[in-house]
Short mmCIF file of all heavy atoms in Angstrom, two decimals:
data_model
loop_
_atom_site.label_atom_id
_atom_site.label_comp_id
_atom_site.label_asym_id
_atom_site.label_seq_id
_atom_site.Cartn_x
_atom_site.Cartn_y
_atom_site.Cartn_z
N GLY A 1 117.21 77.49 92.26
CA GLY A 1 116.43 78.68 91.98
C GLY A 1 115.30 78.95 92.95
O GLY A 1 114.58 79.94 92.82
N LEU A 2 115.09 78.10 93.97
CA LEU A 2 114.00 78.32 94.92
C LEU A 2 114.24 79.57 95.75
O LEU A 2 115.39 79.86 96.14
CB LEU A 2 113.86 77.11 95.85
CG LEU A 2 113.24 75.84 95.25
CD1 LEU A 2 113.30 74.71 96.28
CD2 LEU A 2 111.81 76.10 94.81
N LEU A 3 113.15 80.30 96.02
CA LEU A 3 113.23 81.44 96.93
C LEU A 3 113.38 80.88 98.34
O LEU A 3 112.44 80.27 98.88
CB LEU A 3 111.99 82.31 96.81
CG LEU A 3 111.91 83.53 97.76
CD1 LEU A 3 113.14 84.41 97.63
CD2 LEU A 3 110.64 84.31 97.49
N SER A 4 114.52 81.07 98.97
CA SER A 4 114.85 80.41 100.22
C SER A 4 114.97 81.36 101.40
O SER A 4 115.42 80.95 102.48
CB SER A 4 116.15 79.61 100.07
OG SER A 4 116.00 78.61 99.08
N VAL A 5 114.59 82.62 101.22
CA VAL A 5 114.53 83.55 102.36
C VAL A 5 113.15 83.38 102.97
O VAL A 5 112.14 83.78 102.37
CB VAL A 5 114.76 85.00 101.91
CG1 VAL A 5 114.76 85.94 103.12
CG2 VAL A 5 116.07 85.12 101.12
N PRO A 6 113.02 82.73 104.15
CA PRO A 6 111.70 82.30 104.65
C PRO A 6 110.68 83.42 104.74
O PRO A 6 109.52 83.24 104.35
CB PRO A 6 112.02 81.72 106.03
CG PRO A 6 113.46 81.33 105.97
CD PRO A 6 114.11 82.34 105.07
N GLN A 7 111.10 84.60 105.24
CA GLN A 7 110.14 85.66 105.45
C GLN A 7 109.56 86.18 104.13
O GLN A 7 108.37 86.47 104.03
CB GLN A 7 110.79 86.82 106.23
CG GLN A 7 111.31 86.43 107.61
CD GLN A 7 112.69 85.78 107.58
OE1 GLN A 7 113.22 85.45 106.52
NE2 GLN A 7 113.27 85.59 108.76
N ILE A 8 110.40 86.30 103.11
CA ILE A 8 109.93 86.78 101.80
C ILE A 8 109.11 85.70 101.11
O ILE A 8 108.07 85.98 100.51
CB ILE A 8 111.13 87.21 100.94
CG1 ILE A 8 111.94 88.30 101.65
CG2 ILE A 8 110.65 87.72 99.58
CD1 ILE A 8 113.20 88.72 100.92
N ALA A 9 109.57 84.45 101.19
CA ALA A 9 108.84 83.35 100.55
C ALA A 9 107.44 83.19 101.13
O ALA A 9 106.48 82.93 100.40
CB ALA A 9 109.63 82.05 100.71
N ALA A 10 107.31 83.36 102.46
CA ALA A 10 106.00 83.23 103.09
C ALA A 10 105.03 84.30 102.60
O ALA A 10 103.85 84.03 102.35
CB ALA A 10 106.15 83.30 104.61
N LEU A 11 105.51 85.53 102.43
CA LEU A 11 104.64 86.60 101.95
C LEU A 11 104.25 86.37 100.49
O LEU A 11 103.12 86.66 100.08
CB LEU A 11 105.33 87.95 102.12
CG LEU A 11 105.54 88.41 103.57
CD1 LEU A 11 106.30 89.73 103.61
CD2 LEU A 11 104.22 88.54 104.28
N ALA A 12 105.18 85.84 99.69
CA ALA A 12 104.86 85.54 98.29
C ALA A 12 103.78 84.46 98.21
O ALA A 12 102.84 84.56 97.41
CB ALA A 12 106.11 85.10 97.55
N ARG A 13 103.89 83.43 99.04
CA ARG A 13 102.88 82.37 99.04
C ARG A 13 101.52 82.91 99.48
O ARG A 13 100.48 82.54 98.91
CB ARG A 13 103.31 81.22 99.97
CG ARG A 13 104.45 80.37 99.43
CD ARG A 13 104.60 79.09 100.22
NE ARG A 13 104.89 79.34 101.64
CZ ARG A 13 106.11 79.44 102.13
NH1 ARG A 13 107.17 79.32 101.34
NH2 ARG A 13 106.31 79.66 103.42
N LEU A 14 101.52 83.77 100.50
CA LEU A 14 100.26 84.33 100.99
C LEU A 14 99.59 85.19 99.92
O LEU A 14 98.38 85.11 99.70
CB LEU A 14 100.52 85.16 102.25
CG LEU A 14 99.30 85.78 102.92
CD1 LEU A 14 98.34 84.70 103.38
CD2 LEU A 14 99.73 86.67 104.09
N ALA A 15 100.37 86.01 99.22
CA ALA A 15 99.81 86.86 98.17
C ALA A 15 99.23 86.01 97.05
O ALA A 15 98.15 86.32 96.53
CB ALA A 15 100.89 87.79 97.63
N ARG A 16 99.91 84.92 96.67
CA ARG A 16 99.40 84.05 95.61
C ARG A 16 98.12 83.35 96.06
O ARG A 16 97.14 83.27 95.31
CB ARG A 16 100.44 83.01 95.22
CG ARG A 16 99.95 82.07 94.11
CD ARG A 16 100.96 80.99 93.77
NE ARG A 16 102.18 81.54 93.21
CZ ARG A 16 103.35 81.59 93.85
NH1 ARG A 16 103.44 81.12 95.09
NH2 ARG A 16 104.41 82.11 93.29
N ARG A 17 98.10 82.87 97.29
CA ARG A 17 96.93 82.13 97.78
C ARG A 17 95.71 83.02 97.88
O ARG A 17 94.60 82.62 97.51
CB ARG A 17 97.24 81.51 99.15
CG ARG A 17 96.07 80.74 99.74
CD ARG A 17 96.50 79.92 100.94
NE ARG A 17 97.01 80.74 102.03
CZ ARG A 17 96.23 81.31 102.95
NH1 ARG A 17 94.92 81.14 102.90
NH2 ARG A 17 96.75 82.02 103.93
N LEU A 18 95.88 84.27 98.37
CA LEU A 18 94.74 85.16 98.56
C LEU A 18 94.39 85.93 97.29
O LEU A 18 93.28 86.46 97.17
CB LEU A 18 95.03 86.15 99.69
CG LEU A 18 95.27 85.54 101.07
CD1 LEU A 18 95.59 86.64 102.08
CD2 LEU A 18 94.08 84.73 101.53
N GLY A 19 95.35 86.03 96.37
CA GLY A 19 95.10 86.79 95.15
C GLY A 19 95.06 88.28 95.35
O GLY A 19 94.44 89.00 94.57
N ILE A 20 95.70 88.77 96.41
CA ILE A 20 95.72 90.21 96.69
C ILE A 20 97.15 90.63 97.01
O ILE A 20 98.01 89.80 97.32
CB ILE A 20 94.81 90.59 97.87
CG1 ILE A 20 95.29 89.93 99.17
CG2 ILE A 20 93.35 90.24 97.59
CD1 ILE A 20 94.55 90.39 100.40
N THR A 21 97.39 91.93 96.94
CA THR A 21 98.71 92.46 97.28
C THR A 21 98.92 92.39 98.79
O THR A 21 98.05 92.79 99.56
CB THR A 21 98.85 93.92 96.82
OG1 THR A 21 98.72 93.96 95.39
CG2 THR A 21 100.19 94.49 97.23
N ILE A 22 100.06 91.87 99.20
CA ILE A 22 100.44 91.81 100.61
C ILE A 22 101.64 92.73 100.79
O ILE A 22 102.61 92.65 100.04
CB ILE A 22 100.81 90.38 101.05
CG1 ILE A 22 99.62 89.44 100.83
CG2 ILE A 22 101.26 90.36 102.50
CD1 ILE A 22 98.43 89.73 101.70
N SER A 23 101.57 93.61 101.78
CA SER A 23 102.66 94.55 102.03
C SER A 23 102.96 94.54 103.53
O SER A 23 102.12 94.96 104.33
CB SER A 23 102.26 95.95 101.56
OG SER A 23 103.33 96.85 101.67
N ARG A 24 104.13 94.03 103.89
CA ARG A 24 104.45 93.85 105.31
C ARG A 24 105.93 94.09 105.58
O ARG A 24 106.77 93.93 104.71
CB ARG A 24 104.14 92.42 105.76
CG ARG A 24 102.69 92.01 105.61
CD ARG A 24 102.11 91.54 106.90
NE ARG A 24 100.76 91.07 106.68
CZ ARG A 24 100.36 89.83 106.84
NH1 ARG A 24 101.23 88.93 107.23
NH2 ARG A 24 99.11 89.49 106.64
N ALA A 25 106.23 94.45 106.84
CA ALA A 25 107.62 94.53 107.29
C ALA A 25 108.14 93.12 107.54
O ALA A 25 107.38 92.21 107.88
CB ALA A 25 107.71 95.36 108.56
#
């Protein structure tokens, strides 16, 4: 069940760490 698409997983981790919405290509 791990999110294994690196680009999407990295943005999810960044949003959780910063506590803000991240919106990127």
Side-chain angles (χ1 to χ4, degrees):
L2 286 175
L3 177 55
S4 299
V5 183
Q7 299 83 351
I8 302 176
L11 292 177
R13 287 194 300 269
L14 182 62
R16 180 183 296 108
R17 179 168 62 85
L18 298 178
I20 63 173
T21 298
I22 301 294
S23 186
R24 300 236 184 116

